[in-house]
Amino acid sequence: MTLKFGVPNKGRLNERAVELLTKAGLDLGEDFGRKLYIKARNQDVEVLFLRAQDIPEFIATGAIDLGITGQDQVAESGHTLVDRLDLQFGFCHMALAVPEESGITDASQVKDGSRIATSYPNITKRYFQSLGKLVNVIVVTGAAEVMPYLGIADYIVDLVSTGSTLKMNRMVEAGRIIDSQACVFTSEEALKRYGPQIDELADSIESVITAESKKYLMANVPRDRMKDAEGIIPGLEGPTILEIAGNPEYVAIHAVIDSKDTLHIISDLKKIGAKGILTTEIERLVNRWRPTAA
Ligand code: AMP
């Protein structure tokens, strides 16, 4: 059965989502970007390029089986979906933001009847309802931050990542509503039907994300400094140690290390007389074992 996988067709999430799928092994050919859907050449998966905000609805109705979008979009849709894999990108949070000169520092100070511009009316309504406030929600499709300046709204609810857009528009945050990142979402229904296929895809994407933060390190270490080397390189489950033909004074060690530790590990290995130190990228790192269905 062909799995239908929704991917944002443009915007902030598009490029990284496509990169993850291709790195995870889906062969999408060359001319994606122009097509609305592509059948992977090497797997029973069809990738459909859709608006990030439509993806939750399409998963919930069964039009697609899984998809990549932001947690904010799922919260806005109101659908209960399965967050199958956090993708570690598209980090942002939704906030109530107010003009600097408003003097408001907390959502509790917002008066009933205030006008709030947002592209996320459902989240905004739920948020103010939970605070027991009656506000007027003004739906905009973008550039919410200029609405107070135009006199169309008093405050806004919008996504923030660095905060630079708010700063540029002389606004400050007065309430954090939800945190968000990009995830692979699916539904209980799709999992019932295609669980193993979905697991395989999600595990494959996860292995790419895990591998990106790691490096494979090899070094020749004086045999009598092995204990020191093991202290320097904890590795995944301790380093692999190999004999070197014709060179009994040294042993070769191979290990997976965190990329962020590379510099200090190399420097510490040099101090104990290691030679031939090299690091390489890892394409995938699979740590999880799943029994295959009988
Ligand atoms: P957009 O590219 O603006 O259509 O936004 C699509 C999705 O990207 C949103 O639903 C969020 O999940 C995420 N996103 C939006 N704005 C930001 C941001 N400033 N930083 C990081 N992710 C964002």
Side-chain angles (χ1 to χ4, degrees):
M1 181 65 202
T2 305
L3 267 191
K4 292 194 168 67
F5 197 143
V7 169
N9 57 355
K10 53 186 172 147
R12 284 192 175 83
L13 304 184
N14 164 266
E15 206 172 306
R16 177 66 175 151
V18 171
E19 180 186 43
L20 280 176
L21 289 191
T22 48
K23 278 186 162 181
L26 284 190
D27 181 357
L28 302 180
E30 287 93 45
D31 54 355
F32 56 79
R34 287 189 287 141
K35 293 188 176 171
L36 296 181
Y37 60 90
I38 298 176
K39 167 78 180 67
R41 290 176 182 172
N42 56 343
Q43 287 185 48
D44 220 357
V45 178
E46 189 170 52
V47 175
L48 297 104
F49 294 95
L50 305 164
R51 290 182 342 144
Q53 58 264 55
D54 290 337
I55 287 176
E57 172 78 10
F58 291 167
I59 296 173
T61 57
I64 57 176
D65 305 303
L66 70 172
I68 293 176
T69 192
Q71 289 168 322
D72 55 318
Q73 298 293 354
V74 174
E76 177 63 17
S77 77
H79 291 299
T80 305
L81 301 181
V82 178
D83 180 342
R84 179 60 187 76
L85 179 67
D86 293 351
L87 294 175
Q88 316 293 336
F89 77 101
F91 285 105
C92 52
H93 63 273
M94 196 168 296
L96 166 68
V98 300
E100 276 168 9
E101 66 277 7
S102 68
I104 289 188
T105 54
D106 189 85
S108 61
Q109 296 163 297
V110 170
K111 293 210 171 71
D112 280 354
S114 297
R115 298 162 304 160
I116 320 284
T118 185
S119 316
Y120 295 84
N122 297 327
I123 293 174
T124 304
K125 282 176 196 161
R126 288 200 298 264
Y127 176 63
F128 282 102
Q129 264 164 19
S130 75
L131 297 173
K133 302 215 173 265
L134 284 171
V135 296
N136 293 325
V137 175
I138 297 165
V139 184
V140 294
T141 50
E145 58 280 356
V146 299
M147 300 305 157
Y149 176 72
L150 293 177
I152 290 170
D154 303 302
Y155 315 118
I156 68 169
V157 164
D158 206 0
L159 289 176
V160 183
S161 50
T162 60
S164 59
T165 309
L166 287 186
K167 210 171 201 165
M168 232 158 40
N169 290 283
R170 306 196 50 224
M171 300 190 80
V172 289
E173 287 188 40
R176 194 171 177 117
I177 305 176
I178 53 163
D179 289 337
S180 179
Q181 68 170 296
C183 301
V184 173
F185 289 100
T186 182
S187 65
E188 292 291 354
E189 199 51 45
L191 280 175
K192 260 185 234 145
R193 286 203 203 164
Y194 314 117
Q197 242 179 308
I198 291 173
D199 283 345
E200 199 174 303
L201 253 180
D203 286 353
S204 197
I205 297 169
E206 187 177 22
S207 75
V208 171
I209 296 170
T210 311
E212 282 178 343
S213 65
K214 306 276 181 188
K215 292 250 185 292
Y216 195 70
L217 176 133
M218 291 169 261
N220 295 343
V221 174
R223 189 180 291 275
D224 56 1
R225 302 301 301 268
M226 264 317 293
K227 272 272 152 293
D228 297 321
E230 283 177 36
I232 297 169
I233 311 170
L236 206 55
E237 284 153 3
T240 304
I241 300 162
L242 304 162
E243 293 294 331
I244 307 170
N247 189 354
E249 268 131 59
Y250 281 79
V251 287
I253 55 173
H254 291 199
V256 174
I257 60 170
D258 282 336
S259 304
K260 64 176 170 33
D261 296 334
T262 310
L263 277 183
H264 87 77
I265 288 179
I266 289 177
S267 150
D268 290 352
L269 283 175
K270 274 170 33 190
K271 282 182 201 149
I272 61 162
K275 290 184 184 166
I277 304 168
L278 73 89
T279 60
T280 68
E281 304 283 329
I282 303 171
E283 269 186 25
R284 292 184 193 215
L285 194 61
V286 182
N287 272 329
R288 195 197 312 272
W289 176 79
R290 261 184 219 287
T292 44

